[in-house]
Amino acid sequence: DTEVTQTPKHLVMGMTNKKSLKCEQHMGHRAMYWYKQKAKKPPELMFVYSYEKLSINESVPSRFSPECPNSSLLNLHLHALQPEDSALYLCASSQDGTDRVTEAFFGQGTRLTVV
Amino acid sequence: KQEVTQIPAALSVPEGENLVLNCSFTDSAIYNLQWFRQDPGKGLTSLLLIQSSQREQTSGRLNASLDKSSGRSTLYIAASQPGDSATYLCAVLGGDYNNNDMRFGAGTRLTVKP
């Protein structure tokens, strides 16, 4: 099973709302990623968790708050977003990079629209 | 930090042609390089993974090469088909910054005409 499951698939939220994106994998991977992708642009790295600890934070605004409650789950909590935050949010997982033999798998993404 | 560049940005070919997509990266201390395919509005599908110690990987009509010392990879697609139309992205993992740093190139948008 090489599946990464993201929920919801689509989300529309107002600028004052609080919502969460969820990502789940059962491949035993210990590195999990959040990417943001705007239309016709490549994925931009936001956060990386390694063994449930935040490993990389690419200076993402605090209105995005990641959480890794266990080795299978990754959440992205959203609060007071702006319309320019509308994008496809992608989750990925892989074995931790120190293992060096790491194939990354991506979910289908959450299409977020901020109104 | 790692910078990844893909050339060309877009490519349109008739069905049946063989084609080459290029990827270059600035930090050669990578763990691996992975090629993905993305259809519009969808997630990324892994095509090929090349570990840093390897020079080549093949899967069906796809062949990817890696020259780590020069910071280059190519994806060769043989006998292209209309179903190959998609955006192809290369991603490099690792480097001096962080073991789990995975960075993408801007992609090559491929159109294969029937």
Side-chain angles (χ1 to χ4, degrees):
Chain A
D1 179 12
T2 58
E3 190 171 355
V4 177
T5 303
Q6 289 188 243
T7 56
K9 288 185 170 49
H10 301 276
L11 178 63
V12 179
M13 61 184 289
M15 289 188 283
T16 59
N17 291 157
K18 287 184 181 181
K19 297 286 184 183
S20 296
L21 309 185
K22 295 182 185 295
C23 175
E24 189 169 5
Q25 57 87 15
H26 297 287
M27 295 176 276
H29 288 169
R30 303 311 296 268
M32 296 188 76
Y33 303 75
W34 280 117
Y35 285 86
K36 173 183 177 180
Q37 188 177 29
K38 302 284 273 185
K40 298 188 178 182
K41 297 290 186 183
E44 293 177 32
L45 185 63
M46 299 175 72
F47 303 105
V48 182
Y49 274 83
S50 173
Y51 289 88
E52 296 98 70
K53 293 185 179 177
L54 188 62
S55 172
I56 298 177
N57 178 341
E58 286 291 292
S59 301
V60 177
S62 59
R63 57 185 184 268
F64 295 91
S65 176
E67 178 195 22
C68 190
N70 62 55
S71 60
S72 299
L73 291 174
L74 184 66
N75 298 320
L76 186 63
H77 302 298
L78 314 173
H79 173 56
L81 294 193
Q82 303 296 311
E84 60 264 29
D85 296 322
S86 299
L88 182 67
Y89 287 84
L90 294 163
C91 173
S93 73
S94 71
Q95 294 290 356
D96 184 78
T98 52
D99 294 333
R100 300 198 176 214
V101 181
T102 57
E103 183 173 8
F105 295 93
F106 278 77
Q108 288 299 301
T110 294
R111 173 70 61 190
L112 174 67
T113 304
V114 182
V115 297
Chain B
K1 292 181 190 176
Q2 183 75 264
E3 303 258 345
V4 184
T5 304
Q6 289 187 245
I7 294 173
L11 186 61
S12 181
V13 300
E15 182 176 4
E17 276 206 4
N18 302 324
L19 53 100
V20 175
L21 309 182
N22 297 290
C23 173
S24 61
F25 47 93
T26 54
D27 183 351
S28 62
I30 65 170
Y31 288 165
N32 65 41
L33 184 144
Q34 197 167 349
W35 283 93
F36 292 90
R37 168 190 173 132
Q38 187 174 31
D39 294 294
K42 304 292 186 184
L44 278 65
T45 299
S46 178
L47 297 173
L48 286 166
L49 170 73
I50 309 180
Q51 298 169 33
S52 60
S53 59
Q54 298 176 321
R55 295 191 66 86
E56 196 172 346
Q57 279 288 352
T58 298
S59 176
R61 294 183 293 108
L62 305 179
N63 175 278
S65 67
L66 174 64
D67 183 343
K68 190 177 146 184
S69 60
S70 67
R72 296 177 189 274
S73 175
T74 61
L75 179 66
Y76 175 83
I77 302 177
S80 58
Q81 302 171 358
D84 294 332
S85 298
T87 296
Y88 290 80
L89 296 152
C90 74
V92 295
L93 177 75
D96 288 338
Y97 174 52
N98 185 291
N99 291 342
N100 289 304
D101 189 15
M102 183 166 59
R103 303 280 170 171
F104 283 83
T108 293
R109 191 171 301 114
L110 174 65
T111 303
V112 181
K113 299 176 182 178

